[in-house]
Amino acid sequence: MASRSGYRPPKIPEMTVHRLSVYTRCLLQLEEDGVKTVSSQELAERFDLNSAQVRKDLAYFGEFGVRGIGYYVSGLKAELQKILGLDREWPVALVGFGNLGSALFHYRGFSRQGFRIVAVFDDDPGKATREVDSVPIFPSRDLAREVRARGIQIAILAVPPEAAQTVTDRLVAAGIRALLNFAPARLRVPRDVRLKNVDLSIELETLSFYLAKGSR
Amino acid sequence: MASRSGYRPPKIPEMTVHRLSVYTRCLLQLEEDGVKTVSSQELAERFDLNSAQVRKDLAYFGEFGVRGIGYYVSGLKAELQKILGLDREWPVALVGFGNLGSALFHYRGFSRQGFRIVAVFDDDPGKATREVDSVPIFPSRDLAREVRARGIQIAILAVPPEAAQTVTDRLVAAGIRALLNFAPARLRVPRDVRLKNVDLSIELETLSFYLAKGSR
DNA sequence: TAGATTGTTAATCGATTAACAATC
DNA sequence: TAGATTGTTAATCGATTAACAATC
């Protein structure tokens, strides 16, 4: 493993990265619609943001606009895709092929941005040794081998919470660098592995706060 | 203490509501583990927060602690559940029973906090007229009738993006007050309807930013 | 050139954190 | 009482927004 000491790039706010992703989708749509240029003002209006916010977000990475004109849609799209690493395909491992895993497998949002699920792992004997849509399903003991063989750096975790940490440790040992976790479990990963948790129920709880408040 | 006539409830930051929900889960766990009291410091450490943050979040709603002691776990848990509206059961409609809908139906995080899916809607003729785990499945034309009959205020949306806005309009017309949307679509709802979008792929895109950055 | 819109600096706003008197 | 920890105020930090010279 490479040592990570020394140089640290200027810190980009997480919200900026998030918005970059949002802008990219919008630009994709605008390009499809045949729109050639867009101003920070137009972009901002679509998301209830301030136009200065949009310009500032972009300014972290360079100067992409033209004064008096705005931004060329396909040019900016290409730049943002490059910044976000969406200008390439990422082979992804899907671990867990129950209801949720199956839903995620068929979810079109992933492949639309270049994330390709190239291997599925599940220990149900009825599932392993089979495949879905030409993607092979392996038992989890094959994890390390397949992750290495396929150069997979990203894993999507959709296993029961009890199994989550064990599987995570294996993934990390196999060299996974980023984990999108759907299991309702707190996972521990080394500092150099990126982990994002998707909590399917926490938003529901904040929603009920507002409903309860109304009736208090 | 503010005088009765001049009092205006302070605006609660969304992040505070979010953290309240996080604290509640933690307290649930602590209670199970038989822990009686917890300090803001201990609570904060579990989530890499500052102890003042915890105290400030709680202070929006009242004084729940004891100086020199901390907080009584079950007392605070009960208070937070009340604040979040988790001290009751919420009947919930699940709209869409494909892979994702099915995964959400079986997801235990919802029911654990008192959200009960009491009706499922899907227009697949093979699914309607049937039921899952004693929960009836209706065609979506029955939406208004069932939502009203069951006093449902919250809906979980797991339909294809093309159908999302149509279904949303129906739900709103039927009197739904909060929507948790899993469809990758931008929905328009009246101002008094709460909408939260869960985007299953956006976090993946921010993850790839960090991986791409590493290799830049 | 005149109008439009960028990139950037300075001002503002809001959220986090430090500090500490109150008090169990 | 002595030690611990709250609730709250004041200081700090960071993110958003306004403003505007630069320039297409």
Side-chain angles (χ1 to χ4, degrees), chain A residues 106-109 112, chain B residues 95 123 157-169 181-187:
Chain A
H106 293 105
Y107 187 71
R108 309 171 80 194
R112 202 179 51 193
Chain B
V95 188
D123 280 338
L157 208 58
V159 299
E162 315 83 75
Q165 186 63 58
T166 308
V167 166
T168 299
D169 293 344
N181 173 40
F182 286 89
R186 280 182 78 72
L187 298 178

Side-chain angles (χ1 to χ4, degrees), chain A residues 15-26:
Chain A
M15 279 307 290
T16 292
V17 179
H18 187 90
R19 283 190 298 260
L20 247 39
S21 175
V22 171
Y23 302 154
T24 304
R25 291 172 185 213
C26 184

Side-chain angles (χ1 to χ4, degrees), chain A residues 57-77:
Chain A
D57 285 338
L58 299 177
Y60 280 107
F61 301 96
E63 304 191 4
F64 306 120
V66 184
R67 283 157 209 246
I69 302 287
Y71 303 87
Y72 290 103
V73 170
S74 26
L76 184 58
K77 184 208 71 176

Side-chain angles (χ1 to χ4, degrees), chain A residues 21 25 84 199 205 208, chain B residues 21 25 46 84 199 205 208:
Chain A
S21 175
R25 291 172 185 213
L84 289 169
D199 188 318
E205 291 163 36
S208 83
Chain B
S21 175
R25 291 172 185 211
R46 295 179 182 248
L84 288 171
D199 189 317
E205 292 164 36
S208 82

Side-chain angles (χ1 to χ4, degrees), chain B residues 139-159:
Chain B
S140 68
R141 83 179 107 80
D142 295 344
L143 237 162
R145 188 189 69 206
E146 295 300 326
V147 163
R148 291 202 184 98
R150 292 158 198 272
I152 298 170
Q153 300 187 70
I154 303 175
I156 299 174
L157 208 58
V159 299

Side-chain angles (χ1 to χ4, degrees), chain A residues 21 25 46 83-84 99 102-103 106 110 113 186 196 199-203 205-206 208-209 216, chain B residues 21 25 46 83-84 99-100 102 106 110 113 186 196 199-205 208-209 216:
Chain A
S21 175
R25 291 172 185 213
R46 293 177 184 249
I83 291 164
L84 289 169
N99 278 307
S102 183
H106 293 105
F110 295 140
Q113 296 287 11
R186 278 182 79 72
K196 284 267 184 184
D199 188 318
L200 297 176
S201 75
I202 199 161
E203 297 298 351
E205 291 163 36
T206 66
S208 83
F209 166 79
R216 260 202 288 275
Chain B
S21 175
R25 291 172 185 211
R46 295 179 182 248
I83 291 164
L84 288 171
N99 278 306
L100 184 56
S102 184
H106 293 104
F110 295 141
Q113 295 287 12
R186 280 182 78 72
K196 284 266 187 188
D199 189 317
L200 298 176
S201 74
I202 199 161
E203 298 297 351
L204 202 52
E205 292 164 36
S208 82
F209 166 78
R216 262 203 287 274

